[in-house]
Amino acid sequence: MSTMIIPCLRYRNAVMMIEWLCDAFGFERHLVVEDGAGGIAHAQLVFGGGMIMLGSDLAGEFREFMAMPSDTGGRETQCAYIIVSDVDAHHARAEAAGAETIIAPRDEEYGGRGYSCRDPEGHIWSFGSYDPWANHGET
């Protein structure tokens, strides 16, 4: 088995955010497990060969280690970067769905084109055409 890194997120309204992430960013549902109380116990969304996992922001032992962006003044300590083939079309789709652009699409000096935005619950996402696997060692 090869090693994979899968970002994990929490959302206050995970049910709505699953729909939004699929509509705005193009994710597809891989697995969604409801918690029986109107929330999401665990969900897996895929984008190409990548995946994120998410769930409802519920009380519990793991919650004491995570904060929602709205609890930290909108600041994050990490974000996901997702490779897309058409940055401008992807950005237009995300903005049409209500994403807040924080860095407009631009050409990067290290290669590729990219942009960053916030989802409705404040998480930051970066999308770009730069593929570090294909461009390993190039500047």
Side-chain angles (χ1 to χ4, degrees), residues 13-114:
N13 187 343
V15 173
M16 186 231 15
M17 287 307 303
I18 289 169
E19 187 74 26
W20 192 89
L21 291 165
C22 291
D23 290 345
F25 294 160
F27 280 97
E28 296 178 7
R29 291 165 185 79
H30 183 258
L31 173 70
V32 176
V33 179
E34 296 179 8
D35 65 8
I40 301 297
H42 177 78
Q44 300 167 354
L45 304 182
V46 295
F47 188 97
M51 176 183 288
I52 62 168
M53 295 190 299
L54 65 94
S56 293
D57 183 41
L58 304 172
E61 65 182 349
F62 196 64
R63 186 167 190 245
E64 73 180 79
F65 301 105
M66 295 184 73
M68 298 297 293
S70 61
D71 297 335
T72 63
R75 298 180 64 97
E76 293 262 60
T77 60
Q78 63 182 357
C79 74
Y81 174 77
I82 300 164
I83 300 166
V84 297
S85 59
D86 187 337
V87 171
D88 295 296
H90 192 274
H91 175 254
R93 175 182 179 164
E95 270 202 335
E100 173 196 354
T101 299
I102 59 175
I103 298 174
R106 66 183 184 197
D107 294 328
E108 300 293 353
E109 59 185 60
Y110 54 81
R113 184 166 176 77

Side-chain angles (χ1 to χ4, degrees), residues 83 129-138:
I83 300 166
S129 60
Y130 177 76
D131 180 347
W133 295 108
N135 300 309
H136 181 70
E138 296 178 16

Side-chain angles (χ1 to χ4, degrees), residues 2-14:
S2 64
T3 301
M4 293 187 178
I5 298 172
I6 302 172
C8 301
L9 298 103
R10 295 284 178 199
Y11 285 102
R12 288 195 170 96
N13 187 343

